[in-house]
């Protein structure tokens, strides 16, 4: 006999399949990214205290949703787009700025990356540090701190992903990128940001490509 949980899991799995189809239609082609999104239970990452039924209903639509502390989980398309641009290989050392609810962290772990992630909101940091291992995502190095400074003690990183809107390119992050490494960062202080994909050619030279418009919460200075 099926339990209610089995039935719910089936429903969520179906919703994730449809979400993956939508992401493909929007141009996401990296199979490892799509597999991770197909597998990860996004509904568990949302702020369970606010309007739970409504949030659960929307968990697999392509929307940014509340995760607590005034923050939002990025749209699935944004997560997929940024992750695809990182071109993750198994074992890559990845620095994430803005852990939030840990969904992006889980995507990177699913893809076999070694993840280091920084969050400046203590409330979210504490919640996610307990939550990720609880649902089986162990091994990420989660730090409460200011993402502008990166994690020099663990540098260099093969890839760096910034999941909040940065007003400028933080020098410390460029310095902590390995030669040949990729930094994916939304830049801009207004309502919308431009996605920048930066490749480190050597210690002082960088290639830059820009892509479309996205909306992120601001990358704030210092810890809260
Ligand atoms: N990757 C997250 C996205 C969360 S939204 C997810 O999958 O849920 C962006 C996050 O960046 C917020 O949690 C916000 O608190 C955090 N943030 C903003 N400025 C920061 C900074 N300077 N250092 C670290 N985190 C920061």
């Amino acid at each position: 006999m099926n339990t209610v949980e089995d039935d719910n899991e089936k429903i969520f799995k179906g919703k994730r399949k449809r979400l993956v189809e939508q992401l493909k239609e929007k141009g996401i082609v990296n199979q490892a990214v799509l597999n991770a999104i197909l597998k990860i239970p996004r509904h568990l990452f949302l702020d369970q205290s606010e309007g739970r039924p409504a949030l659960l209903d929307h968990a697999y639509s392509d929307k940014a949703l509340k995760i607590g502390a005034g923050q939002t989980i990025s749209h699935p398309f944004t997560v997929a787009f940024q992750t695809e641009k990182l071109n993750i290989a198994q074992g890559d050392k990845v620095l994430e700025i803005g852990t939030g609810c840990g969904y992006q962290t889980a995507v990177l772990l699913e893809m076999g990356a070694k993840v280091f992630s920084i969050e400046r909101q203590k409330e979210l940091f504490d919640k996610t540090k307990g939550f990720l291992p609880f649902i089986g995502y162990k091994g990420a190095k989660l730090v409460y701190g200011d993402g502008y400074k990166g994690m020099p003690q663990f540098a260099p990183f093969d890839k760096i992903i910034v999941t909040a809107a940065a007003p400028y390119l933080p020098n410390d992050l460029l310095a902590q990128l390995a030669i040949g490494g990729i930094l994916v960062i939304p830049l801009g202080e207004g309502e919308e940001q431009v996605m920048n994909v930066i490749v480190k050619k050597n210690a002082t030279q960088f290639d830059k490509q820009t892509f479309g418009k996205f909306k992120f919460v601001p990358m704030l200075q210092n810890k809260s």
Side-chain angles (χ1 to χ4, degrees), residues 72-84:
T72 52
I73 183 173
S74 300
H75 281 65
F77 175 73
T78 305
V79 172
F81 189 86
Q82 285 195 283
T83 313
E84 185 163 88

Side-chain angles (χ1 to χ4, degrees), residues 108-160:
L108 294 166
L109 289 171
E110 271 299 340
M111 295 176 72
K114 291 192 205 104
V115 188
F116 300 75
S117 186
I118 309 177
E119 173 56 53
R120 69 173 284 285
Q121 292 257 7
K122 187 72 167 70
E123 183 190 331
L124 271 177
F125 167 75
D126 287 339
K127 192 166 139 188
T128 302
K129 197 174 167 60
F131 171 71
L132 276 178
F134 176 71
I135 63 159
Y137 289 105
K138 303 192 172 81
K141 175 81 184 160
L142 303 179
V143 169
Y144 168 54
D146 178 6
Y148 281 92
K149 301 190 175 78
M151 281 194 218
Q153 68 276 37
F154 296 107
F157 296 98
D158 301 306
K159 313 285 162 66
I160 301 179

Side-chain angles (χ1 to χ4, degrees), residues 64-106:
L65 295 165
K66 287 181 187 170
I67 54 173
Q71 303 302 323
T72 52
I73 183 173
S74 300
H75 281 65
F77 175 73
T78 305
V79 172
F81 189 86
Q82 285 195 283
T83 313
E84 185 163 88
K85 292 296 174 214
L86 284 175
N87 199 17
I88 298 290
Q90 286 272 344
D92 268 357
K93 255 174 87 179
V94 183
L95 174 65
E96 177 190 23
I97 309 303
T99 317
C101 68
Y103 181 74
Q104 174 74 65
T105 314

Side-chain angles (χ1 to χ4, degrees), residues 148 160 162 165-175 177 183-188 194-199 206-208 219:
Y148 281 92
I160 301 179
V162 177
Y168 58 85
L169 270 177
N171 273 332
D172 285 337
L173 299 186
L174 292 174
L177 196 58
L183 164 66
V184 178
I185 180 169
L187 283 176
V194 173
M195 194 65 73
N196 281 247
V197 178
I198 290 160
V199 179
F206 299 86
D207 271 355
K208 186 180 90 170
M219 183 172 174

